Amino acid sequence: MNRAENPKSDPGNLFPGRILRWYASRKRDLPWRRTKDPYRVWISEIMLQQTTVGVVIPRYHEWLAAYPDLDSLAKAPLRKVLKSWEGLGYYQRARNLHRAAGLIVRDCGGRFPRDTEGLAGLPGFGSYTASAVASICFSRPVPVVEANVRRVMMRMLGIQGRGGPAVDARIRRFLEGAISRRSPGNFNQAMMEWGALVCRPKNPFCLRCPGRALCRAYARGEQEVIPAPKTLRAERLQAVVAVLRNGGRVLIQKRPEKGLLAGLWEFPGGKVEPGETLRTALARELKEELGLGLASVRPFATVRHAYTRYLVTLHAFEAKPAGGLNAVRPGNRPVRWVAVKSLDRYPFPSGSLQIVRLLQSE
Ligand code: SF4
């Protein structure tokens, strides 16, 4: 460890005292910071993994109204839990919340394990979530290393590149020496708040930063190039779906139980392959999925959404099948005719959900 990486040689006593003082005076008053209840902290940490604080606050309250404790979450039907997760990103996280709640209730007498090893054995508890819950709720001195902390520490320590397991290990070693033994939960939250409010990905507020005097990136003018910018580009996709109507009902089908967006519901359709028009793609998908020929189509809506690394333009058509609705021959996937007003009972990915909202606003 060189001098700049040794917290004990830090003349400003940045870690942990100064960071804790900065946090005490600048932290946002967020609902999950008023509790040490591991259930509530856990829910907030999982929601925050992919969604902004502003979006999470009302969703956190809604969630607690629907599932006030572990027991209520464990007993809820999975479909309801997935529905409650709509708009919060990867549905696997909701599945894992449900599974972990069931395991804690069944195998641990309804009490969370108190250390990172026990927590990390639960579904969906990676090292980050386990460290956050163990430090905030059970005062375990284990540092969290997530995107905000990684960015702050790469800049403070002047670590070039995009990061990776070796960089995370180096940051963790440093923070294990720096973390407050008295307030490890506050220390971890202070590190994350520092990254979220001051050491932001773009245009960091270096002049207001509690660590500026010791920041290597700032001293070298490298704060905008550490971490190195991403080069991965999102892939654009065109997709088509059919709105098949039967009186006031529409046909939806369930996605497979494994893989991307597993177990969610959607309108029949799929990706437009190279060389296909929107109409020929829709005709192929309806034939493959429902055994239907296409008699006529009428544009209904075009919506855009993003998932994983894809930017999807989703074209929805009102479709009339050749041979009428009785010709529907579903394959392995469950299909249902559902009244438009009852579509809210089913969990949809965000693109299909936009189509649902348009149908319900007619
Ligand atoms: S001085 Fe700037 S780059 Fe360094 S930690 Fe503070 S905000 Fe980040």
Side-chain angles (χ1 to χ4, degrees):
M1 188 182 283
N2 63 36
R3 187 177 178 281
E5 290 187 35
N6 184 352
K8 294 199 173 71
S9 73
D10 176 1
N13 191 22
L14 187 62
F15 300 102
R18 191 155 160 196
I19 294 305
L20 284 173
R21 285 195 294 280
W22 172 84
Y23 179 65
S25 65
R26 299 298 162 89
K27 70 179 177 188
R28 291 167 290 180
D29 179 20
L30 302 175
W32 45 88
R33 288 187 175 155
R34 298 175 205 147
T35 179
K36 290 195 172 189
D37 174 353
Y39 174 71
R40 292 174 176 233
V41 170
W42 173 47
I43 297 299
S44 70
E45 290 296 340
I46 300 296
M47 285 187 173
L48 287 164
Q49 283 177 16
Q50 213 187 349
T51 312
T52 59
V53 164
V55 172
V56 166
I57 290 174
R59 301 298 301 269
Y60 171 79
H61 290 304
E62 283 166 24
W63 184 277
L64 292 179
Y67 316 105
D69 49 30
L70 267 177
D71 216 38
S72 52
L73 176 57
K75 284 185 184 146
L78 178 60
R79 190 172 92 188
K80 182 173 172 231
V81 173
L82 292 173
K83 186 74 195 166
S84 302
W85 196 256
E86 262 176 7
L88 287 170
Y90 296 107
Y91 282 88
Q92 191 57 31
R93 294 191 174 136
R95 291 171 178 281
N96 283 335
L97 283 174
H98 189 245
R99 277 181 61 214
L103 282 171
I104 299 169
V105 168
R106 201 181 61 229
D107 299 345
C108 310
R111 298 170 76 91
F112 278 76
R114 297 174 70 87
D115 55 21
T116 46
E117 293 74 21
L119 289 164
L122 294 167
F125 273 77
S127 143
Y128 161 70
T129 308
S131 303
V133 172
S135 62
I136 295 169
C137 308
F138 305 119
S139 296
R140 296 289 200 268
V142 280
V144 298
V145 181
E146 48 71 84
N148 282 316
V149 176
R150 184 180 301 114
R151 182 173 61 257
V152 170
M153 291 312 305
M154 285 181 74
R155 287 172 174 169
M156 285 296 295
L157 301 177
I159 303 171
Q160 305 278 346
R162 284 218 38 76
V167 169
D168 279 3
R170 181 174 165 193
I171 291 171
R172 189 167 287 107
R173 277 198 304 279
F174 175 87
L175 291 175
E176 279 166 1
I179 193 167
S180 164
R181 262 62 193 165
R182 283 175 53 191
S183 301
N186 277 348
F187 179 84
N188 281 333
Q189 294 189 86
M191 293 299 297
M192 292 188 270
E193 195 79 330
W194 183 4
L197 298 185
V198 179
C199 194
R200 307 175 311 173
K202 287 192 179 150
N203 303 320
F205 288 125
C206 297
L207 296 179
R208 294 190 216 157
C209 177
R212 178 164 53 107
L214 294 153
C215 176
R216 288 189 152 195
Y218 179 75
R220 297 170 185 162
E222 292 177 343
Q223 59 270 46
E224 296 282 359
V225 293
I226 295 177
K230 277 188 190 162
T231 49
L232 242 188
R233 286 232 168 144
E235 195 177 320
R236 291 179 189 277
L237 287 183
Q238 301 282 326
V240 283
V241 293
V243 176
L244 294 164
R245 294 186 193 254
N246 188 354
R249 296 180 302 159
V250 292
L251 185 139
I252 57 173
Q253 61 183 8
K254 196 174 189 189
R255 292 186 60 82
E257 292 296 344
K258 290 217 157 84
L260 206 59
L261 308 174
L264 303 190
W265 291 77
E266 62 185 8
F267 297 93
K271 194 174 132 190
V272 178
E273 300 292 351
E276 288 184 322
T277 64
L278 299 181
R279 184 182 167 119
T280 57
L282 190 66
R284 174 183 53 72
E285 291 284 348
L286 287 183
K287 177 59 81 183
E288 286 172 7
E289 293 182 351
L290 300 170
L292 287 179
L294 200 52
S296 68
V297 292
R298 190 164 67 82
F300 175 71
T302 296
V303 299
R304 290 179 179 79
H305 69 113
Y307 67 92
T308 61
R309 62 189 182 87
Y310 300 107
L311 291 174
V312 183
T313 304
L314 182 62
H315 306 271
F317 292 90
E318 296 227 25
K320 294 223 180 315
L325 297 170
N326 290 335
V328 171
R329 298 281 176 272
N332 300 331
R333 293 162 57 182
V335 303
R336 280 192 199 162
W337 290 100
V338 178
V340 167
K341 63 177 182 334
S342 301
L343 289 169
D344 284 337
R345 294 195 200 136
Y346 294 81
F348 289 94
S350 65
S352 300
L353 190 60
Q354 292 182 60
I355 307 289
V356 168
R357 294 285 172 258
L358 289 169
L359 283 165
Q360 290 177 328
S361 67
E362 282 180 334

